[in-house]
Amino acid sequence: MHSLQALFSMLSLIAAVIGWPDGAPCIHDVFESMNPLEAVEHQGGLQLTVPPYHIDTWQKCYWINQPVEVNLKGNTSADRFRGFVIQPISYKGPNRGKRVGQFLRLDDNGSWQQQCFRFKNSVTHSHEEKKKHIKLWWKNEANDDDYVQFVATVVKSQKEFWVKSIKSIPIPPCRIERNGIQGYVPDPITPPPPVRNFAQAVVI
């Protein structure tokens, strides 16, 4: 009986991961990698070209505990997407490379959801219909020591997606730089680290 329960749990986990039609699951490997290659049916779809999407922020800097508007959209009106994961990553500061702050629900837009409700620092799509624009809000109520960059994985189709290569211009704390970062040059697009066997993922 125990073996059957273990098998059922594993099959349920695999079923939750494959495809991500209703958003990236709250699975440790997926949460960390933001990589659709964690799901077998996305194999072969990784793109290393310049993505047809971008992220911009309404504000050039942020104040502690004040919302910042974040927009993910296509470079043209024809560039739509089905899925995404966005995370706020410390670009520079004491938490460099870590997720910082949290996303806020300031509207009733049903196109996105928190990826993991325990952690409000990652959001994903809630359905796979084509989208041309997603608006989010983020704030950092803990401190204003980090320069923050919004990093996204965007899925155009099952076999066409960009992993962590859609990035905003980092926004600094307003107490340090009120006019934002000048002369920012994005990093070159490189392949993400290899994914581990998705069946070994552990629920957070």
Side-chain angles (χ1 to χ4, degrees), residues 102-190:
Q102 63 179 8
F103 287 103
L104 310 172
R105 175 70 74 179
L106 297 182
D107 65 1
D108 58 358
N109 188 333
S111 294
W112 66 272
Q113 61 182 328
Q114 301 286 354
Q115 184 181 358
C116 294
F117 289 98
R118 288 175 55 196
F119 311 98
K120 296 182 179 180
N121 53 21
S122 184
V123 297
T124 186
H125 56 284
S126 55
H127 58 74
E128 61 177 348
E129 294 178 10
K130 289 184 178 180
K131 310 162 188 65
K132 60 180 180 180
H133 176 217
I134 290 291
K135 180 186 292 186
L136 307 166
W137 287 267
W138 168 91
K139 72 175 181 178
N140 193 350
E141 58 185 12
N143 61 68
D144 59 349
D145 298 324
D146 293 277
Y147 287 60
V148 179
Q149 183 173 53
F150 297 94
V151 179
T153 289
V154 177
V155 177
K156 182 176 182 179
S157 66
Q158 183 174 306
K159 296 295 185 181
E160 191 174 6
F161 53 85
W162 290 259
V163 176
K164 292 186 177 181
S165 52
I166 296 90
K167 301 179 180 181
S168 71
I169 297 175
I171 57 172
C174 293
R175 66 178 177 82
I176 298 176
E177 292 188 59
R178 292 201 181 189
N179 294 321
I181 292 180
Q182 306 299 316
Y184 168 73
V185 177
D187 295 329
I189 296 174
T190 57

Side-chain angles (χ1 to χ4, degrees), residues 10 13-14 17 27-29 38 196-203:
M10 180 174 289
L13 176 61
I14 293 172
V17 174
I27 305 296
H28 184 269
D29 287 354
E38 299 283 355
R196 292 188 292 176
N197 188 329
F198 68 91
Q200 296 176 351
V202 178
V203 177

